Amino acid sequence: MTPALPQPVDEAVLRSLTPAVIGILVRRGADFAAAEDAVQEALLEAVRRWPDDPPRDPKGWLVTVAWRRFLDAVRAEAARLNREVRVWQEPEAGPVSSVDDTLALYFLCAHPSLTPASAVALTLRAVGGLTTKQIAQAYLVPEATMAQRISRAKRTVSDVGFDGQPQGRDVATVLRVLYLVFNEGYSGDVDLAAEAIRLTRELAARIEHEEVLGLLALMLLHHARRPARTRPDGSLVPLAEQDRNLWDTAAIAEGVDILQTALARDRLGEFQAQAAIAALHADARTVEETDWVQVVEWYDELVRLTDSPVVRLNRAVAVGEADGARAGLAALAELDPALPRHTAVAAYLHEKDGDLASAAELYVLAARKAPSIAERDHLTRQAARINAALR
């Protein structure tokens, strides 16, 4: 009889257990940074050992191994040995605490004392359960650079302390961090957009908050269009040119359902408004069928909520679609030309208005200012297309 082959470790299981295990170690007396290091070592050990010897209680196994790693680190500090060996004796075997500290970890990792980049990295590590190597690959930076970033972040929040309570913390900050994760794109071994959706789902399951639902809906509706966003050569496909048959209809339906649940609570926030705009795009079978009047109305709500120049820029595009290019250009004229993508929007609206010569010049200028190679190439092709038409 052929022996059974070892089963690969389910990384999703490991990631889902990570916050709870960190919380247990902190409750036993470990500071956050030391607990997080110990849990990462336990996760690596699990990857090595579980395929041949899977535990009956994965969470208990991780707690036991992580706690031993923590004690080993404590005992290695000779100056503190005599005091800490007495304080941190390994507890008697027994059931693992059922207290779930995931929500508190979200708030700790999004602490306002951290920079956005550090908050994102720490969230992916402590709540997402990703390794430093995976996070570094996702951000296309050296592993040593990411290790330093995470280490500084852990030291910062260790000074803040961990009490297992999210009360009084800012939900909006957590959501901004998750949205930053989502917007990082797709690279390396880790799909950060999918990871952000997973983490936001977990947060939605742990806290009743309409903006958490709004963010989850927004992510799903944007992610549904992902297969149509680029061509095989990697070039960008604008929304108006996307093959809508490639959109994920199941993700769209789920996003709309979640959005309706959030809106029914009648406490509108910016992520709900953004999701409503995305839902209107998703609902249109063709770009011509888009309800641009409603899109403008939702942008008006977003302006009221945020007064963001970027929102006003996007609103100018929507006004150009709903009321004509001249109206869009009038709305654009009220904004600072130094805004990112302002020139690209101006080029589009001038083209829509029939002023091809100005549009071509603006597309060239916008390409020079583009924040990415893919966007630069797209704008360059737009300029070349119009110049060819002018000949």
Side-chain angles (χ1 to χ4, degrees), residues 286-323:
T286 65
V287 66
E288 291 78 16
E289 294 180 45
T290 305
D291 189 340
W292 286 107
V293 173
Q294 273 206 68
V295 171
V296 172
E297 290 174 354
W298 278 110
Y299 272 122
D300 288 341
E301 291 287 352
L302 261 179
V303 169
R304 181 181 63 79
L305 290 165
T306 68
D307 197 27
S308 163
V310 174
V311 170
R312 291 182 182 275
L313 184 68
N314 292 330
R315 180 185 176 278
V317 176
V319 168
E321 299 292 349
D323 301 325

Side-chain angles (χ1 to χ4, degrees), residues 240-289:
E241 300 173 21
Q242 288 177 14
D243 181 354
R244 300 185 179 215
N245 293 318
L246 297 177
W247 291 0
D248 185 340
T249 54
I252 290 172
E254 183 186 6
V256 170
D257 281 346
I258 292 170
L259 173 61
Q260 289 175 339
T261 299
L263 292 175
R265 298 180 181 178
D266 200 24
R267 291 191 294 270
L268 185 64
E270 61 178 293
F271 288 120
Q272 294 168 75
Q274 288 187 55
I277 293 168
L280 287 168
H281 287 300
D283 188 53
R285 290 174 296 178
T286 65
V287 66
E288 291 78 16
E289 294 180 45

Side-chain angles (χ1 to χ4, degrees), residues 316-317 320-321 324-325 328-329 332 344-354:
V317 176
E321 299 292 349
L329 286 167
L332 185 66
V345 170
Y348 173 76
L349 290 173
H350 276 286
E351 180 185 359
K352 187 176 178 65
D353 192 39

Side-chain angles (χ1 to χ4, degrees), residues 70-248:
F70 167 69
L71 289 177
D72 289 344
V74 170
R75 291 172 181 135
E77 298 180 32
R80 298 165 59 187
L81 181 62
N82 292 334
R83 175 171 59 86
E84 294 190 346
V85 165
R86 290 194 300 272
V87 174
W88 282 301
Q89 293 298 319
E90 187 167 357
E92 297 179 3
V96 173
S97 169
S98 61
V99 174
D100 192 337
D101 293 304
T102 304
L103 182 58
L105 281 176
Y106 271 106
F107 285 90
L108 184 65
C109 293
H111 195 274
S113 60
L114 295 175
T115 64
S118 294
V120 168
L122 191 59
T123 299
L124 289 170
R125 173 86 181 239
V127 185
L130 303 184
T131 64
T132 301
K133 182 178 181 180
Q134 288 174 315
I135 302 170
Q137 288 176 337
Y139 278 87
L140 303 178
V141 299
E143 185 175 353
T145 300
M146 185 55 68
Q148 290 176 349
R149 183 181 300 173
I150 293 172
S151 179
R152 287 194 297 268
K154 287 192 295 186
R155 286 197 299 270
T156 299
V157 298
S158 289
D159 292 339
V160 170
F162 180 87
D163 57 9
Q165 299 297 321
Q167 285 84 353
R169 304 284 176 85
D170 185 4
V171 175
T173 301
V174 176
L175 297 183
R176 281 194 293 272
V177 169
L178 289 172
Y179 197 40
L180 283 172
V181 175
F182 181 79
N183 284 328
E184 284 302 325
Y186 326 99
S187 55
D189 291 339
V190 180
D191 183 334
L192 287 182
E195 182 65 13
I197 291 171
R198 183 185 74 83
L199 292 173
T200 307
R201 281 191 193 280
E202 287 193 4
L203 184 59
R206 299 170 192 279
I207 181 173
E208 284 197 16
H209 196 290
E210 56 282 349
E211 274 292 81
V212 177
L213 295 178
L215 178 58
L216 180 55
L218 177 63
M219 288 178 174
L220 288 168
L221 289 164
H222 279 318
H223 203 55
R225 302 202 298 263
R226 176 179 176 180
R229 281 204 182 104
T230 56
R231 300 181 179 89
D233 63 1
S235 59
L236 294 177
V237 182
L239 177 61
E241 300 173 21
Q242 288 177 14
D243 181 354
R244 300 185 179 215
N245 293 318
L246 297 177
W247 291 0
D248 185 340

